Amino acid sequence: MVAQTYLAYDYPLLSAFWTMLWFFLLVMWFVLLFRVVLDVFRDDSVSGWGKAGWLVFLVVLPFLGVLVYLIARGKDMGRREVAQARAQQQAFDSYIRRTAAEGGRHSSTDELVRLSEMRTRGDITDEEFRRAKDLVLSDHTASGRPATAADARSAAPAHRP
């Protein structure tokens, strides 16, 4: 009869650590490979043929290709990444500023939709809805800005059945 063997006896702890180390290094190499490929596409100073050459080199001889790329162009990889991060941050900041500037303005259609939802939920009565709708459809409030649902609520009577 063949005795049942356990993996713990056949695969000692040091071998498990060695396997984890190799697995970690393999994952790190793939991360490095993808960062190099992304950097090849990110770099605007390299022509299309240059990018194609680097990609062929990375596909045909991946370990050597990554090593040579890091030696030849590795110093500028960080600069390109920082420049891209700054450009993205500036675009995000300008989007936030533009959105914040437009955020206070609502169209009368948006306000009418909100009022309709409030009436459907039962937050306001039909009479309050009519008065608020008239206020929203009027050109501007006394402050000179477009009327909002909050203005309509404050203008409507406060009594409730």
Side-chain angles (χ1 to χ4, degrees):
M1 293 226 115
V2 177
Q4 184 178 10
T5 58
Y6 295 103
L7 184 60
Y9 297 124
D10 293 336
Y11 203 67
L13 186 60
L14 187 58
S15 293
F17 285 132
W18 189 247
T19 302
M20 287 191 305
L21 176 69
W22 279 110
F23 181 73
F24 175 75
L25 290 174
L26 181 68
V27 169
M28 289 306 297
W29 182 81
F30 274 113
V31 168
L32 187 60
L33 175 68
F34 289 124
R35 289 202 53 179
V36 166
V37 170
L38 287 175
D39 189 65
V40 167
F41 284 112
R42 179 185 301 142
D43 191 5
D44 292 333
S45 65
V46 177
S47 68
W49 287 106
K51 290 179 184 184
W54 276 112
L55 287 176
V56 167
F57 191 32
L58 289 169
V59 170
V60 173
L61 298 170
F63 290 108
L64 185 62
V66 168
L67 184 64
V68 169
Y69 189 86
L70 288 176
I71 292 169
R73 304 181 52 81
K75 184 174 27 170
D76 293 332
M77 280 179 69
R79 292 182 186 142
R80 284 186 290 274
E81 189 170 345
V82 167
Q84 182 189 19
R86 283 187 184 146
Q88 286 178 341
Q89 185 66 40
Q90 288 173 350
F92 179 73
D93 290 344
S94 68
Y95 170 76
I96 292 295
R97 283 189 201 100
R98 187 175 60 246
T99 304
E102 295 171 357
R105 293 178 267 160
H106 297 287
S107 69
S108 57
T109 307
D110 295 335
E111 294 300 323
L112 289 175
V113 167
R114 285 190 197 114
L115 285 171
S116 177
E117 289 171 356
M118 289 169 62
R119 182 178 63 172
T120 304
R121 285 191 313 255
D123 293 342
I124 59 175
T125 64
D126 288 336
E127 178 62 26
E128 290 172 333
F129 173 77
R130 186 188 59 75
R131 288 183 188 172
K133 181 178 77 169
D134 290 342
L135 182 63
V136 169
L137 293 178
S138 68
D139 291 332
H140 293 300
T141 62
S143 65
R145 61 179 171 77
T148 63
D151 296 333
R153 279 298 293 242
S154 64
H159 63 83
R160 279 259 149 110

